[in-house]
Amino acid sequence: MKRVANWVSLAVVALGLIGCSGNDDDSGNQSISIALWDEKASDAIDGAIASFKEKHPDVDVTVTYSPFSQYWTTLRTSIGGGAGPDLFWMNAVNFYQYAQPGLIQNLEPFIEEDADFEKSDYYESMIDLYSYEDNLYAAPYFVDAVGLYYNKDIFDEAGVDYPNESWTWEDIERVGAELTNKEEGIYGYLAPVVHNQSGYYNYIHQAGGDIVSEDQTQSGFRSDAAVEAFRFVERLIEQGISPDIKSQIQNDNNQLFMSNQLAMMPAISVMAVMYREELGEIVDVAPLPSYKEDTAILHGISWAMNRGAEHPELAWELMKELTGETGNTIIAETGFSTPAARSAADLWLESLPDMNLQVFIDAQETGSPYPLSRNTMEWQRMETTEIQGAFLSGEPIEDVLERVGLEMERMLNQGLEE
């Protein structure tokens, strides 16, 4: 289903994030500003705004869509300067950098006074992900779990059964080899090295490890599980089942899949609609194959409130429209991604009824949380550089993982010493 960014009719303004939060316009009306990076969510945004304005017709709402590559820099600069949007999208990588220094509002005081908002209505993974010191600092919006997308035509032509919940890493290697066709430029599987969320983070957890310890002081890269995970990736690349690191860097892996060059590819739930629009009924999704553990990384996007919001009560009302029944219903019906509210799950499943979206709902029971710490972005930048460098240079992965782990632990513990 193609979604048209019809936000102009709702006074959506894309003038950048810098400006006065919650300014009044010339007519004296109150205003609320919101910001995000993905215009594919515009239907849900517009619907929530329309519902909000039915209750608050004199409140102007302006929306800014910014490229992801610019979003965080501009947002941090504007909020640090005492301005910025009232409400904005938050992800896990950046969450601590906003919650810990108090750049965003603690939502608990609003929740305590509002009988309409119940944290239990949302998936526990999202409440945990956006809680700091046991207080919720961002309202869950939609969930990203990881599943195994596959191309039915490639399987049918090879006479191979589709993947199912019983698959393991061994099946990926065995079936991936059967599906690989070098003459036609078809790879059996993509083993992501350039994407950690949909790639090796899952393998490390499936091998019984983790990325960062619960107390956020130890790295999971210095573990046997991490070595097993990356040896699995190395085998797939060495056998030609998966594109190598150079190909992954040079090509858009989504385009490889949508151009029928990948039989299988792990990816997040947000990709379901785009894959279906491009590939039609030949695409479906199965659970990620297991190893020692049956799990997949859980992430999602939430709405945070600027600590400097001039009209926090109005901002809270709009946040509830975005993350409540109105917003979740539209997210579900458009198929955009898994709604964070449990009640909207069935609606979402109906948005693509012949696609096994139940995979992403079930993942909420067995999934592993996206790794969080106060400086995730810093050590992830280092991690990405080192690991991709290892696959480019051929340096033994054990040596690289030890180095990554030691440097990550230095970052994690920096400033914690008494």
Side-chain angles (χ1 to χ4, degrees):
M1 178 186 305
K2 295 289 184 182
R3 292 175 300 279
V4 179
N6 57 354
W7 39 267
V8 174
S9 62
L10 289 169
V12 173
V13 181
L15 298 177
L17 299 179
I18 297 178
C20 294
S21 175
N23 278 345
D24 294 343
D25 63 20
D26 292 338
S27 65
N29 289 347
Q30 294 173 324
S31 64
I32 302 292
S33 58
I34 69 176
L36 62 156
W37 60 78
D38 194 344
E39 290 189 36
K40 292 178 182 177
S42 62
D43 283 352
I45 302 298
D46 293 352
I49 291 173
S51 179
F52 172 81
K53 286 184 71 66
E54 286 179 4
K55 304 168 188 175
H56 305 279
D58 294 330
V59 179
D60 292 326
V61 180
T62 61
V63 183
T64 298
Y65 294 93
S66 298
F68 186 81
S69 59
Q70 302 170 12
Y71 180 85
W72 295 107
T73 300
T74 309
L75 181 66
R76 187 59 183 261
T77 300
S78 61
I79 290 180
D86 296 289
L87 301 177
F88 50 90
W89 269 14
M90 177 58 60
N91 68 4
V93 175
N94 291 275
F95 174 62
Y96 268 55
Q97 296 186 43
Y98 287 81
Q100 190 174 45
L103 295 177
I104 55 179
Q105 297 265 15
N106 181 348
L107 299 182
E108 295 294 335
F110 297 95
I111 296 171
E112 291 173 4
E113 298 296 324
D114 196 324
D116 295 332
F117 190 97
E118 293 287 345
K119 291 196 285 187
S120 59
D121 290 343
Y122 300 88
Y123 290 113
E124 186 177 358
S125 64
M126 289 293 286
I127 297 298
D128 291 344
L129 196 64
Y130 290 107
S131 291
Y132 175 69
E133 296 183 343
D134 296 324
N135 289 317
L136 188 66
Y137 273 77
Y141 193 41
F142 63 85
V143 180
D144 289 338
V146 184
L148 180 66
Y149 291 90
Y150 60 95
N151 185 309
K152 293 181 183 179
D153 277 1
I154 297 176
F155 275 79
D156 291 344
E157 289 174 11
V160 176
D161 291 338
Y162 302 148
N164 58 50
E165 66 280 357
S166 71
W167 270 36
T168 67
W169 287 8
E170 183 179 344
D171 293 294
I172 287 292
E173 289 194 67
R174 175 180 58 82
V175 178
E178 294 181 46
L179 296 173
T180 298
N181 187 325
K182 293 184 178 179
E183 292 183 359
E184 296 186 13
I186 296 173
Y187 293 94
Y189 178 79
L190 174 74
V193 180
V194 297
H195 301 294
N196 50 27
Q197 179 185 350
S198 59
Y200 54 83
Y201 279 3
N202 298 278
Y203 307 144
I204 292 173
H205 278 276
Q206 289 166 356
D210 52 26
I211 310 303
V212 61
S213 63
E214 189 173 347
D215 65 2
Q216 301 180 8
T217 63
Q218 302 295 313
S219 170
F221 285 100
R222 300 175 63 204
S223 67
D224 292 340
V227 172
E228 284 189 274
F230 280 98
R231 283 180 176 165
F232 174 54
V233 174
E234 286 181 327
R235 290 197 304 272
L236 293 169
I237 292 175
E238 288 168 358
Q239 295 173 53
I241 296 171
S242 170
D244 62 18
I245 181 64
K246 290 183 180 179
S247 177
Q248 292 188 36
I249 292 173
Q250 293 170 356
N251 297 288
D252 182 333
N253 294 324
N254 290 317
Q255 288 301 321
L256 287 178
F257 183 69
M258 292 187 293
S259 60
N260 301 293
Q261 293 178 267
L262 292 172
M264 297 179 282
M265 175 179 176
I268 59 177
S269 51
V270 173
M271 306 308 300
V273 169
M274 185 172 76
Y275 292 164
R276 174 49 58 90
E277 288 176 348
E278 294 297 325
L279 292 171
E281 295 182 358
I282 71 170
V283 64
D284 207 344
V285 62
L288 287 187
S290 62
Y291 182 46
K292 295 177 180 177
E293 302 287 342
D294 178 11
T295 190
I297 293 295
L298 299 176
H299 184 253
I301 299 301
S302 63
W303 284 100
M305 187 190 303
N306 191 333
R307 69 176 180 187
E310 187 172 348
H311 307 293
E313 295 299 334
L314 281 175
W316 171 248
E317 291 299 317
L318 178 54
M319 181 181 282
K320 286 199 303 176
E321 293 291 347
L322 289 161
T323 63
E325 182 179 358
T326 300
N328 274 273
T329 296
I330 302 175
I331 285 177
E333 290 177 343
T334 60
F336 177 71
S337 188
T338 318
R342 302 172 191 270
S343 61
D346 288 343
L347 275 178
W348 183 59
L349 297 178
E350 293 169 6
S351 69
L352 294 171
D354 55 349
M355 204 167 178
N356 188 18
L357 299 182
Q358 184 67 41
V359 164
F360 301 109
I361 302 295
D362 293 344
Q364 292 299 317
E365 302 300 324
T366 59
S368 299
Y370 191 89
L372 281 183
S373 76
R374 61 190 178 89
N375 52 4
T376 302
M377 186 167 55
E378 295 175 26
W379 56 257
Q380 276 192 343
R381 188 181 299 116
M382 175 274 301
E383 160 211 323
T384 300
T385 300
E386 290 284 353
I387 289 174
Q388 292 186 21
F391 277 86
L392 286 167
S393 68
E395 181 180 0
I397 195 63
E398 296 89 342
D399 296 345
V400 176
L401 292 176
E402 179 71 13
R403 187 165 67 245
V404 168
L406 287 171
E407 179 61 13
M408 179 176 167
E409 288 174 0
R410 184 194 68 76
M411 293 178 174
L412 289 169
N413 291 282
Q414 189 173 23
L416 297 181
E417 301 83 358
E418 295 183 357

